[in-house]
Every structure is written in structure tokens, then in C-alpha cells.
Amino acid sequence: MGVAQRSRRWLVPVATVAVVAGVGALGPVVADASPKLPGITAQDLLANVQTAKVDGLSGTVRSATDLGLPSLPGMHDGGSNQILDLLNGEHTARVAFASPDKARVSVLDNMAERMWTTDGTSAWAYDSSKREAVKLTVPARTSKPEKATPQDYNPQAVAKQFLDAIDPTTTVDVSGTEKVAGRDAYKLRLVPKTDKTTVGSVTLAVDSKTWVPLEVTVMPRTGNNPAVQLGFSSVSFDVPPASTFAFTPPPGVKVTEKAPAAGEIPKQGTPPKAIGPKGEKPGKPGTAKSGGPTVIGTGWESVAMVRGVTATTGNAALDQLLAKAPTVQGSWGTGKVLTSKMVSVLITDDGRVFVGLVTPDTLQAAAAKAPR
């Protein structure tokens, strides 16, 4: 049976819990000396990860992230800066969850806090720097907790994105042991079999008692430094009290109330998703999921396409970068290609954008298969 089809009860089943590919103002996550643990096969370790279940946890998550994205002058205001900061650099987050639908995430940056929390009936998004908060009513759940869609603000959810891509395109082995957040862990290493991805390997530090991933390390195909190192610096598997997920806006904070459509997971205030391979099979090439981008390819070679992007951004520095980017062309048309050690982006003249953890040639091959 494929990994993507096995139970994922170990995933945090809450939309607001996620750890972006970068959370940790105190520096990179550092593991202690390797502990001595009983031997285990990759198959058994993987099975334990996929069937693990915890009723709650809380802790501090840190990470250092370097996707090779450029630092641009003039990108230090507004949403552009927030997104770039989350995808490059170091951040710290405090996280908590209680099964099946309670979660809280607080991201701490520059003496400010961005917080997302839900108690199962309402959800809050709060930004202390803007002194603004958004309250949403959470729709009743219509599926079992393990089928809920996790976001990417915890190591388990980030690990899930990579686990989805491992069958049959990945070599899996147990590469040793380490201590993470004071807990003994096995190291489960995933190595893509294809040379069309920019990912060299992904290593998950798996707790030896709960079988929950405590840390994720992503290495690029070229270079010796991690592109993403994300994990708990402290963690407790005690169920947090209900008061952890309550929120009362501080005096003077502007509150906006919104009601999402029935059946939708609230998206207001949700942090940007971590970049990872997608394991779902798109059926026909270029099939789009409802409300999402079109996905071309599978596993590590997946490429996402979005439409309706203008040729200019309104930011002088970014527009200058695009102007200097190489022009490429093919059966798909003409466009500009931007590359880093992890991410490749193709912006076509007809307003389509292709992005993936793939080589530029793979990106163009996907564009040739995509609908106009």
C-alpha cells in the first residue's frame, strides 16, 4: 500500500496549526549527541510514523530557512516583506494543539506577535504590530479528524508534504539517531530517485516513543547547508488546557468579524504554506483542483501553475529583477525564468506562473504540458 494511502492520524487535524518553512529567531535547530536506540527498519519506522496518534502537544518551534531567494531593497514593507521573511531567515513560534480541533500558533518576530488560534467553534487571527484582529466562525467539521486538511505550522504537517512524495519515487532509510528537544529520535531519510528536483534529501527526526516527527531537515541537491531546518526546541505531549486556545483582543485593537462559507476552512490570517512536493495524482496533465492551482506532474517533479499574473509587480526592485532574468521560449510560449538553489519560477508573457522544487528544464517541460 502506498504511503499516501495509509492512516495519517499523527497529523495535527487543525487548519491553523502549521510551521512555515522557517520559524526560529534563536538560530538553527541543533541536535544533541546521538542516543543508543534499538534497531528498526525503515519500513517499520515509516509505519509507526503513519499510525502514530497524540491527543495534544505544546512547545516552541525554531528553524533556519535559506531557499536561495534574493534579498531585494524596497521589499521591506507590507505583505511582500512578510512573505519573504517567512521563506528566508530565522523565526520562532509557540505552538499548541488538542485533538480534534483546537490549535494555537504564535509567531514572534521583531518584538511583535502574529497569532492564529481556534477553540473549535471560532478562530482568531491577530497581528500585534497592526493592532488588528479577525474573528471567524468555524464551520462544523464534516469529516474525521485524520481527513482534515493540515496547514504548515508544525513539523508534522511539513513532514507530511514530503511523505506524500515517497512512493515510488524515493529511497527511504534509517540514517541514525539524534536528540531533539531533549527526546530520543530516529532519523528517517528520504532521497529522491529523480534528478529533476532541486531537493537532495529530507531527513525526519522521529520521536522514539510517540513516533511523531520532531524535526525536518531539507538539503538541496547542490551545496552543504540545509535549505530548511525546522523542529521543536522544547515539546510536551500533555494535552494543553482549554484556556490555551481562548483569545481576548487587547484594548484598542480593531476587530473584524467574518463568516466563511459553509464547509470551508478559514483562510484569513493563515500563514503562507511551506513549499514541498505534492504526492497527489492530478489525473490528466494540467488538472486543477477546485479553488487551487493547476498541478502538472507528480511527486518530486510536481509543478504548480497559476493564471492571471501581470508582467509587473509595482515594486521597482522586483520588477528590475524580472527585467534582468533570462528570457526563455518553447512550445508553451515566451517568458522569464528565475532560479535559486531550491525554487524555480517561470513567468510567461500570457500571465501564467509555474513554480516548483525542480530544475528550470523540468519547469519548462511542465509548461509545455499545461493548458493555455
Side-chain angles (χ1 to χ4, degrees):
M1 178 180 294
V3 170
Q5 295 175 320
R6 298 191 183 118
S7 170
R8 295 196 183 92
R9 290 177 295 163
W10 57 273
L11 293 174
V12 176
V14 186
T16 55
V17 174
V19 180
V20 142
V23 187
L26 300 181
V29 178
V30 179
D32 298 325
S34 300
K36 292 183 179 180
L37 294 172
I40 189 171
T41 66
Q43 182 178 2
D44 288 344
L45 180 55
L46 186 58
N48 289 342
V49 172
Q50 294 289 5
T51 57
K53 184 181 186 298
V54 292
D55 294 323
L57 64 78
S58 60
T60 300
V61 177
R62 301 185 302 172
S63 79
T65 305
D66 179 11
L67 301 181
L69 302 176
S71 177
L72 298 175
M75 292 292 286
H76 299 285
D77 297 299
S80 298
N81 173 56
Q82 191 175 91
I83 293 173
L84 286 179
D85 279 350
L86 288 169
L87 293 180
N88 256 350
E90 301 173 354
H91 302 270
T92 296
R94 290 196 294 263
V95 303
F97 106 93
S99 182
D101 53 7
K102 296 180 176 64
R104 185 183 182 104
V105 178
S106 297
V107 180
L108 310 176
D109 286 314
N110 300 323
M111 304 300 291
E113 177 186 24
R114 282 167 283 167
M115 184 277 300
W116 301 266
T117 189
T118 178
D119 60 6
T121 59
S122 62
W124 286 89
Y126 168 62
D127 188 331
S128 67
S129 64
K130 296 181 179 179
R131 299 193 61 76
E132 295 178 351
V134 176
K135 181 182 180 181
L136 302 100
T137 301
V138 178
R141 290 186 296 112
T142 58
S143 61
K144 296 180 181 180
E146 60 265 30
K147 292 184 179 180
T149 303
Q151 299 295 322
D152 306 311
Y153 240 98
N154 71 24
Q156 299 98 303
V158 175
K160 182 260 184 186
Q161 297 187 39
F162 294 104
L163 289 172
D164 274 350
I166 77 172
D167 188 13
T169 62
T170 308
T171 299
V172 184
D173 63 26
V174 179
S175 60
T177 64
E178 64 180 327
K179 274 190 177 290
V180 177
R183 299 180 67 89
D184 294 349
Y186 292 97
K187 294 196 290 186
L188 183 67
R189 185 176 60 177
L190 319 177
V191 180
K193 294 179 180 179
T194 175
D195 61 0
K196 296 181 180 180
T197 178
T198 54
V199 178
S201 67
V202 177
T203 300
L204 313 179
V206 180
D207 186 74
S208 62
K209 292 184 178 179
T210 65
W211 307 113
V212 169
L214 300 175
E215 181 183 277
V216 180
T217 301
V218 183
M219 296 295 296
R221 183 166 291 276
T222 59
N224 298 319
N225 297 320
V228 176
Q229 191 172 28
L230 171 152
F232 286 101
S233 59
S234 63
V235 64
S236 168
F237 289 98
D238 295 334
V239 178
S243 59
T244 301
F245 311 102
F247 177 71
T248 300
V253 170
K254 178 184 177 181
V255 175
T256 302
E257 294 196 22
K258 294 187 177 182
E264 286 188 352
I265 296 175
K267 297 183 183 300
Q268 177 69 34
T270 301
K273 290 189 176 183
I275 298 176
K278 302 297 182 182
E280 57 273 270
K281 296 180 180 179
K284 296 180 180 179
T287 300
K289 288 192 171 185
S290 177
T294 301
V295 178
I296 303 97
T298 58
W300 302 98
E301 299 176 22
S302 296
V303 171
M305 181 192 78
V306 295
R307 298 176 180 273
V309 177
T310 59
T312 58
T313 67
N315 179 276
L318 186 54
D319 288 341
Q320 184 178 14
L321 178 65
L322 290 173
K324 292 181 178 179
T327 298
V328 292
Q329 60 183 5
S331 60
W332 47 267
T334 304
K336 296 279 190 176
V337 63
L338 300 173
T339 60
S340 72
K341 67 180 180 182
M342 288 296 294
V343 183
S344 296
V345 180
L346 172 63
I347 304 173
T348 66
D349 292 347
D350 59 7
R352 295 176 296 164
V353 173
F354 299 86
V355 61
L357 299 179
V358 297
T359 63
D361 288 344
T362 303
L363 203 65
Q364 293 188 57
K369 299 176 182 178
R372 293 281 184 170

